[in-house]
Amino acid sequence: MKKQTKFALVSVLLGAMAWTVGFFDGELTDEDQIRAAIKEVASGIEAADIAQAMGPVSETYIDAEGMNRKGLYGLLWSQFRKRGPIGVWMSAIDVGVEGDGALASFDAAVFEKEKGATIAMPVSADLLTFEVELQREDDEWRVVAHTRTPALQLNAPPP
């Protein structure tokens, strides 16, 4: 390939990457920042990376069951050790912002992956509906609470 062709190809790829991350669109909207925070949690869970999963979680986190940030950290740690790889498939995330508070809702299939499998086939899975409360703290959106309800048990025996 000629130098000019390579340069043009690299320029086009860099331009496309810049456009997709929003360099040409300006700053991310609050809704997009919230979706990114939730996706960061999900990516951290899939990677069994507690620091990444807990990154967007507020120090003031407390859910309806009384679990605080430290309890959530412990829950994730025990699940990573007990279950091994955990997969997450998420639906689109609906976001409503009101001032410095927000509510995001989505469905997610959370599944245990077969250890050592080349293809990530779920061993068992739960389909959950999540409602996540977020608060703007120091110009970043942080998770302050969440609820989850079973939408469907994928590994449940037939009735």
Side-chain angles (χ1 to χ4, degrees):
M1 212 185 285
K2 293 182 180 181
K3 273 187 178 180
Q4 291 174 333
T5 307
K6 285 182 184 178
F7 180 75
L9 182 59
V10 168
S11 296
V12 169
L13 286 173
L14 288 175
M17 288 178 8
W19 179 76
T20 59
V21 296
F23 289 143
F24 297 134
D25 294 333
E27 291 186 24
L28 293 176
T29 65
D30 285 333
E31 290 83 357
D32 289 337
Q33 291 175 35
I34 289 165
R35 288 182 185 99
I38 291 170
K39 289 176 184 176
E40 182 179 344
V41 172
S43 293
I45 289 171
E46 286 192 306
D49 182 338
I50 292 178
Q52 181 182 0
M54 294 296 294
V57 178
S58 174
E59 291 293 329
T60 62
Y61 176 92
I62 190 154
D63 66 21
E65 298 168 359
M67 184 182 303
N68 62 13
R69 188 177 198 279
K70 187 176 179 180
L72 182 60
Y73 183 99
L75 176 68
L76 288 176
W77 183 83
S78 69
Q79 290 300 307
F80 293 159
R81 289 187 45 97
K82 182 171 98 178
R83 292 182 181 238
I86 298 172
V88 179
W89 291 332
M90 296 173 58
S91 70
I93 302 170
D94 294 324
V95 178
V97 177
E98 194 170 311
D100 285 336
L103 183 64
S105 60
F106 58 94
D107 291 327
V110 180
F111 58 94
E112 190 174 339
K113 297 179 188 176
E114 186 175 348
K115 293 180 183 175
T118 306
I119 300 173
M121 295 300 293
V123 174
S124 64
D126 291 315
L127 183 58
L128 303 168
T129 298
F130 285 85
E131 296 282 333
V132 181
E133 293 178 47
L134 299 99
Q135 190 73 34
R136 189 187 327 260
E137 297 177 0
D138 299 324
D139 288 330
E140 289 188 30
W141 287 99
R142 301 280 183 190
V143 176
V144 293
H146 89 279
T147 59
R148 63 195 173 285
T149 54
L152 176 67
Q153 288 275 317
L154 298 178
N155 60 348

